[in-house]
Amino acid sequence: QAQAGAMAATRILWVVAAVAAVASGLVSSWSSRQERRRVVMMGRRAAKNAARKGKSDAVKAKLYARYGKKLVMAVKSGGPDQLANVALGQVVREAKVAGVPVANIERAIKAGTAGDSKDFKESTFEAYGAGGAGLVINVLSDNANRASADVQSTIKKQHLKQASPGSVLFNFDRKGRIDVAANLDEDQVLEIALDAGADDYSLLSGDDDDTSTVITLAADLAVMKNALADAGLPVTDANLAYVPTVTVDCSDDDIDANFAAIEALEALDDVDSVDHNMANA
């Protein structure tokens, strides 16, 4: 009987050990899967953050380049003295509001005084995108031939249709566009606009979350931008843009194709920005 009890105890110990081994293996396997999942998720998150940062960096670089060109143009037309050259002083203030580093501003002003500095000129190209959307491609370049070749090549690669001058612009007005890194409400903007004497405006949701865009008359751009900044609002950009008077409803696929084309165009050094009239984008 004692021998039978010992054998039973031994079998129990063996079963417990086996169960423990299996459990250990399961835990180890689960932990391994969780670790792999964590690594994959971290990789996806890192990739998403990198893509977001890359896009943000590209937008910032384009913004700095735009103001650099404008500063050179202002210096070449009126000299480097901000007090004597009203246009230069205005561009400098706009650049600072947009967050352009002081070192960049000073470097651009110095470049504008050089005898061999580049002469930038503005031009526009027009195209039709997917779903019949109109695109206005704003160019600021020191080489019109290069800019034209690059824009036309990209239009072709992105399966856009180049439009004759005026056929797309006919549906746009030239207005001021002010981007603000905050959610603004109508009453807040109305009070600021009335105080600034610029009550002809519209308030839109911004391109990114928690941002807003204020559209003004072209003549009211500077005063409205300054009024918003003086009210303590984080103005991130202020410039003239083509705002649609007629919009086009596009499918989701058309919107994706058009934004891919816009991104490709805005990646060109000579393209300053691209305006569109997609209603639901």
Side-chain angles (χ1 to χ4, degrees):
Q1 186 176 3
Q3 185 178 4
M7 290 178 64
T10 300
R11 283 196 296 271
I12 291 172
L13 290 174
W14 181 86
V15 171
V16 170
V19 171
V22 171
S24 177
L26 289 174
V27 170
S28 177
S29 177
W30 179 84
S31 298
S32 179
R33 289 197 303 272
Q34 286 297 99
E35 178 62 20
R36 287 196 298 272
R37 182 176 181 274
R38 186 180 69 83
V39 170
V40 170
M41 291 305 292
M42 286 180 65
R44 290 174 181 168
R45 190 178 299 115
K48 183 179 290 186
N49 290 340
R52 186 184 297 114
K53 183 178 186 299
K55 183 177 181 181
S56 177
D57 289 347
V59 171
K60 188 180 295 183
K62 178 68 72 172
L63 179 69
Y64 291 177
R66 177 201 303 162
Y67 279 106
K69 294 175 182 178
K70 288 184 175 182
L71 288 164
V72 170
M73 291 172 63
V75 171
K76 287 178 70 69
S77 64
D81 188 338
Q82 296 182 41
L83 295 178
N85 186 345
V86 178
L88 174 61
Q90 180 62 34
V91 177
V92 169
R93 288 190 292 273
E94 291 177 3
K96 289 181 177 179
V97 167
V100 180
V102 174
N104 291 43
I105 295 173
E106 293 176 345
R107 186 161 55 247
I109 292 175
K110 184 177 180 180
T113 60
D116 58 348
S117 61
K118 299 176 180 179
D119 187 14
F120 294 99
K121 294 184 178 180
E122 294 178 308
S123 61
T124 59
F125 293 84
E126 302 169 49
Y128 288 108
L135 305 180
V136 180
I137 305 158
N138 305 296
V139 169
L140 185 56
S141 175
D142 63 323
N143 188 320
N145 291 332
R146 179 191 66 218
S148 178
D150 287 348
V151 169
Q152 291 183 34
S153 175
T154 303
I155 286 175
K156 184 177 181 180
K157 289 179 181 177
Q158 295 297 319
H159 307 292
L160 305 176
K161 179 182 178 182
Q162 188 160 353
S164 57
S167 59
V168 173
L169 276 174
F170 178 78
N171 295 318
F172 290 77
D173 282 338
R174 191 69 161 162
K175 291 194 173 185
R177 175 187 170 114
I178 306 167
D179 295 324
V180 182
N183 285 320
L184 305 181
D185 63 70
E186 188 67 40
D187 292 339
Q188 180 183 20
V189 178
L190 177 60
E191 182 178 353
I192 294 172
L194 290 175
D195 289 342
D199 57 342
D200 191 347
Y201 72 92
S202 56
L203 176 62
L204 310 173
S205 297
D207 293 335
D208 298 315
D209 293 338
D210 299 323
T211 64
S212 303
T213 296
V214 179
I215 303 298
T216 72
L217 297 177
D220 292 339
L221 173 61
V223 65
M224 189 63 172
K225 178 211 66 178
N226 292 334
L228 290 168
D230 291 343
L233 297 172
V235 176
T236 57
D237 196 14
N239 58 81
L240 292 174
Y242 286 103
V243 177
T245 56
V246 176
T247 57
V248 177
D249 287 324
C250 295
S251 68
D252 290 344
D253 288 342
D254 288 340
I255 290 173
D256 290 342
N258 287 330
F259 275 122
I262 290 172
E263 186 173 347
L265 286 164
E266 290 187 336
L268 299 175
D269 290 340
D270 292 319
V271 173
D272 183 39
S273 61
V274 178
D275 298 310
H276 66 83
N277 67 343
M278 290 182 284
N280 49 338

